[in-house]
């Protein structure tokens, strides 16, 4: 696994030890304050660890891409609290909505046509699509509720690694001084999300399984 290069302009990452089932509101509030200040956090999910930042902060999203060393063609994901919030950022028909209900909340990322609510810089530059997910993780849900809106995210793969980070000690060691904070709620599953492209359904075609990950694609009929 390739180590992360320290970013000299950032102090050491703040570690938030948060209970995985009963998150402490005070700790969640402190973590959200960093997001509101334009920082990037490493957070646990119901798949692996992920990097998250404020959806409207371009500098933070640029830093998120820099950590992952990916260009603007790499799809980013919006993490939402529930399907009602998700529907504000994507165009969803009845067939797609039924599919979303089967996989949410859970370790799935769904690719959908982006709505006008999504900043152009966040959607795929040629396809005008966006990745969306609703996690089933108490700490991340608490973070989203306190933040009062979706977060921009990407699975925490380090450059030149094909396995996402899932252990908090590795996350802390390898990303220190690249992120402002790391939430420690114990180890995550050692898999990224399962990615399903629902955009073909808008043309009457079947959804496409893009990546098999932590989510069981069979519950979606795939």
């Amino acid at each position: 696994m390739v180590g992360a290069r320290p970013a000299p302009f950032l102090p050491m990452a703040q570690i938030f030890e948060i209970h995985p089932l009963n998150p402490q509101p005070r700790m969640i509030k402190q973590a959200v304050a960093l997001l509101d200040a334009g920082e990037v956090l490493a957070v646990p999910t119901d798949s692996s660890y992920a990097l998250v930042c404020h959806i409207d902060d371009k500098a933070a999203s640029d830093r998120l891409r820099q950590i992952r060393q990916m260009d603007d063609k790499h799809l980013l994901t919006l993490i939402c609290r529930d399907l009602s919030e998700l529907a504000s950022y994507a165009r969803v028909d009845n067939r797609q909505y039924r599919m979303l209900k089967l996989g949410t909340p859970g370790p799935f990322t769904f690719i959908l046509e982006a709505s006008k609510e999504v900043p152009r810089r966040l959607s795929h530059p040629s396809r005008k699509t966006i990745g969306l997910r609703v996690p089933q993780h108490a700490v991340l849900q608490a973070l989203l509720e306190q933040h009062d809106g979706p977060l921009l995210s990407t699975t925490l793969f380090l450059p030149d690694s094909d396995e996402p980070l899932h252990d908090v000690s590795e996350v802390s060691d390898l990303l220190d001084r690249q992120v402002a904070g790391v939430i420690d709620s114990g180890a995550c599953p050692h898999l990224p999300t399962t990615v399903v492209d629902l955009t073909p359904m808008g043309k009457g075609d079947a959804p496409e399984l893009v990546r098999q990950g932590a989510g069981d694609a069979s519950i979606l009929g795939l």
Side-chain angles (χ1 to χ4, degrees), residues 72-90:
D72 62 358
K73 295 180 175 61
H74 190 103
L75 192 69
L76 295 176
T77 299
L78 293 184
I79 298 182
C80 302
R81 284 176 291 183
D82 52 39
L83 284 182
S84 64
E85 190 173 75
L86 180 151
S88 299
Y89 296 92

Side-chain angles (χ1 to χ4, degrees), residues 68-149:
R68 282 284 315 272
Q69 294 186 18
M70 58 191 187
D71 59 25
D72 62 358
K73 295 180 175 61
H74 190 103
L75 192 69
L76 295 176
T77 299
L78 293 184
I79 298 182
C80 302
R81 284 176 291 183
D82 52 39
L83 284 182
S84 64
E85 190 173 75
L86 180 151
S88 299
Y89 296 92
R91 300 180 186 277
V92 180
D93 63 24
N94 289 335
R95 291 180 64 226
Q96 291 168 328
Y97 187 77
R98 287 194 291 270
M99 182 71 74
L100 289 167
K101 286 186 69 175
L102 292 173
T104 57
F108 291 90
T109 296
F110 294 99
I111 300 174
L112 290 157
E113 182 183 355
S115 73
K116 293 181 180 179
E117 297 295 322
V118 177
R120 185 173 299 177
R121 61 184 171 79
L122 300 183
S123 60
H124 191 282
S126 60
R127 296 183 59 201
K128 309 306 179 189
T129 56
I130 189 72
L132 293 142
R133 67 171 299 200
V134 178
Q136 190 175 31
H137 192 287
V139 174
L140 189 49
Q141 279 287 345
L143 198 72
L144 290 164
E145 182 176 357
Q146 179 69 36
H147 179 64
D148 196 25

